[in-house]
Amino acid sequence: MPIKKTWLKAFFWLLLSGFSVTLVTLAGMYLYLSPKLPSVETLKQVKLQTPLRVYSRDNKLIGEFGEQRRTPLTFEELPPLYIKALLAAEDAEFYDHHGVSLRGLLRAGSQLLQTGQIQSGGSTITMQLARDFFLTRKQVFSRKFNEILLSFQIERQLTKEEILELFSNKMFFGNRAYGLQAAAQIYYGKDASDLSLAQYAAIVGSLKAPSAYNPLANPQRALIRRDWIIGRMLKLGYIDRATHDAAISESILTSYHGLTLDLYAPYVAELARKEVFDRFGENAYNDGYRVYTSVDSEMQASAQAAVISGLLSYDQRHGYRGPEQRFEPSTTDDFSDWREKLGDIPNFGGLEVAAITEVAEQAAKAVTASGELIELGWEQGLATARPYINEDSRGPAPTKANDFLHYGDVIRIARDTEGAWRLSQVPAVQATLVALNPQDGAILALVGGFDFRQSHFNRAVQGARQPGSSFKPFFYTAALENGFTPASVINDAPIVIENTATGASWRPENDDGKFSGPIRLRQALYRSRNLVSIRLLRSLGLDKALDSLERFGFDKTRFPRDLTLALGTHELTPLQMATGYATFANGGFKIEPHLVTRIEDASGKVVYEAQPMIVCKECEQAEAARQAAALLETLPEEELGYVPFEETLTDGILPQPIDTTRYAPRIIEERVAYIIDSMLKDVITLGTGRLARKLDRSDIGGKTGTTNGPRDTWFAGYSPDVVAVSWVGFDQNTLLGRTEYGGSAALPIWIDFMRTALDGVAENIPPQPNGIVTVRINRDTGARAQPEDPDAIFEIFRVEDVPQAGDSTSSNAGQSADDILPEEIF
């Protein structure tokens, strides 16, 4: 008996000592670690890493940037079935504990004593949240103790609902998916509220090991984990047997659903991304900024379709270049080996890739990456597949399909308007289109090339090329301001320019190689006569011409200081050209292009808003009247000659000055702007842009441009509501073909776009300004017509430039059309 008492007493003191040591150790660790713990208050202001998202002006998602795909949800937006699946899998006692599960800790402690390492951890949802926000995943005892301490603090300061909300938005579910909403979109292409119980369980199951348990990486492992969670939900009473059985029977198979965009506009999205990055640096990708652009989704879609259609049309005119590659014979009956290879080849511009499986006399069969077997009939592009020889030549039309198609050929196919597959090919040529609102500079549409996946080079803003004749209106504007009129006659005759330094001669020509002789300035513009432009520039003088160009926003230091400037031989981007042409569209005002209109942070607060200068003709008139009124008020009453001015004012107070910094400055005198606009409209009705007459509008103008070769083709055109510039050419600056011009290659793209851009927009004809008169002139001499003149036409002039009866306006600001300098004689 004494021995038993002694043993019990010893055990008691041993137990007490162990408990005391443990208590002292824990207290010591608490005193040591607690001061180093981060403040749980930061959770209340936590800023989840949310990607940068870019939208059109009508709220269409066009881009997303950031390593973590995340769309935060509030607790009220978390589906109840998801919460039940989460609790069943991770923490069934969540609503009963205060951050730590004693049962889980005992299990973890047992593993620690047995193996010397922590195996499962016994972490509650709160502990997992603490670890992911503040700690590391390194399995050490001090980290586990920190988890416990932090979990107690979190539970004291946050509600259970706030903890679940943070957890569901913070945790990683694999495949760049952070949070429930991102996971639902990536794995199932749905909103989180639209998933089934089995899908919630599969998503929750990936939390155990996101890289190994998600249904894409390992469907079998994900299925086992999902079914365990569903069974656990049944055991806990969260669901009934029927619901359990239905969920278990559902397939685990899914597919990757990449970013779902409302509008595919990668060139626009990339431009916006760069602007936001320049403002906010790396934080731009994580802080949940929402960027709103000025792009109109309908116009953008139309611009992209127009560019693709224009390039495919050009490509078809120049012949079939053959297959992209040729596969070795397939080793499987279902061509699965080919299909795998096809899946690695990207689709460009809506053109799918396929491989020829069989060739008949006038038909062919092919297989696509998806396994679809298609047939190409003779009329589905085979009959017109004349072989490409060079930019000017094609071979003869084929008589049978095996003239140019063979087994294993990798080709491109596209659906026609009736839904049938047609033979196609990715164009080697490139194009771009950019459109602005001429009233405030907002970019309405922008396409930088055939397909962003093919080339990230944005030709609209980076592709500086020679604009050719599309640049001529800027010189003509300067001429109208310096004594020339639309009726001025200039000699379209050969010129020889001698270079005294090198002894070389330059003999410029017109595109058609012909000369028209004396020609009115209006005709010279819409017929795009090069020799007239050269004479015009020489008459103005280089310095005066360059100064005139600078006001349009061009950098005159980058222009050549010789007469080639008249032919547009310097390089400009389509966006620069569109900005310049906006001045013709809006009646003479200079605007600045802009894309980003507003940036909001994750909370919806506006952190940036564009303040573009806008065209305001009424403001201009009001300010002019105010200045005149102010001047008149300073004059003595006896000099006014009528009732004192202050009696005409409201309460004798002058109008307040207008804040001109908000309004676009006028850079072309109103009457000159009206005249050049009328001349550019003649390019459409009478000149090189006649193809645009199919739009059946009288308020559009523009100018074609074609450079030597030709290598670049342009059309720059506008209405008062939209200005757009299209360009077609090779990135390598190679020849386009002798039959290609601005009117054949670039103009059709512009027309297709403007057809949509102006659909439903009423014609907008600018009113004739004061100081403009209409006079009958002789169509050949430009002189004022006599009443009996049978060749008389009407022309508009500034009132001070009207030719007098019998006078000729055949001049280069005073130089007769027949007064040709000796070096100009060919």
Side-chain angles (χ1 to χ4, degrees), residues 366-388:
V367 63
T368 67
S370 65
E372 181 182 0
L373 296 174
I374 67 167
E375 183 167 351
L376 297 171
W378 190 242
E379 299 304 320
Q380 273 73 56
L382 303 187
T384 57
R386 297 173 58 182
Y388 171 88

Side-chain angles (χ1 to χ4, degrees), residues 432-558:
T432 186
L433 183 142
V434 59
L436 306 177
N437 181 340
Q439 305 303 317
D440 64 3
I443 295 177
L444 301 174
L446 185 147
V447 181
F450 182 70
D451 195 306
F452 187 78
R453 290 163 294 197
Q454 179 191 26
S455 169
H456 291 187
F457 183 63
N458 190 336
R459 294 154 190 85
V461 298
Q462 296 173 299
R465 300 294 286 260
Q466 295 181 1
S469 295
S470 61
F471 196 71
K472 290 176 181 176
F474 300 109
F475 292 118
Y476 277 66
T477 299
L480 293 174
E481 294 171 326
N482 286 275
F484 289 86
T485 74
S488 295
V489 175
I490 300 179
N491 200 9
D492 178 27
I495 297 176
V496 179
I497 307 296
E498 301 287 350
N499 188 320
T500 57
T502 64
S505 299
W506 178 44
R507 293 177 170 83
E509 295 182 348
N510 292 314
D511 287 340
D512 57 8
K514 300 177 182 179
F515 304 96
S516 303
I519 186 174
R520 285 179 290 113
L521 206 62
R522 180 181 290 273
Q523 290 177 296
L525 181 60
Y526 71 68
R527 292 176 56 189
S528 199
R529 310 312 288 171
N530 289 340
L531 281 303
V532 172
S533 297
I534 292 172
R535 282 190 166 88
L536 201 60
L537 176 57
R538 187 164 62 178
S539 178
L540 288 172
L542 280 172
D543 289 335
K544 184 179 292 185
L546 289 170
D547 288 342
S548 176
L549 294 176
E550 194 170 36
R551 60 184 162 164
F552 290 95
F554 303 128
D555 182 359
K556 69 177 184 180
T557 64
R558 302 177 65 88

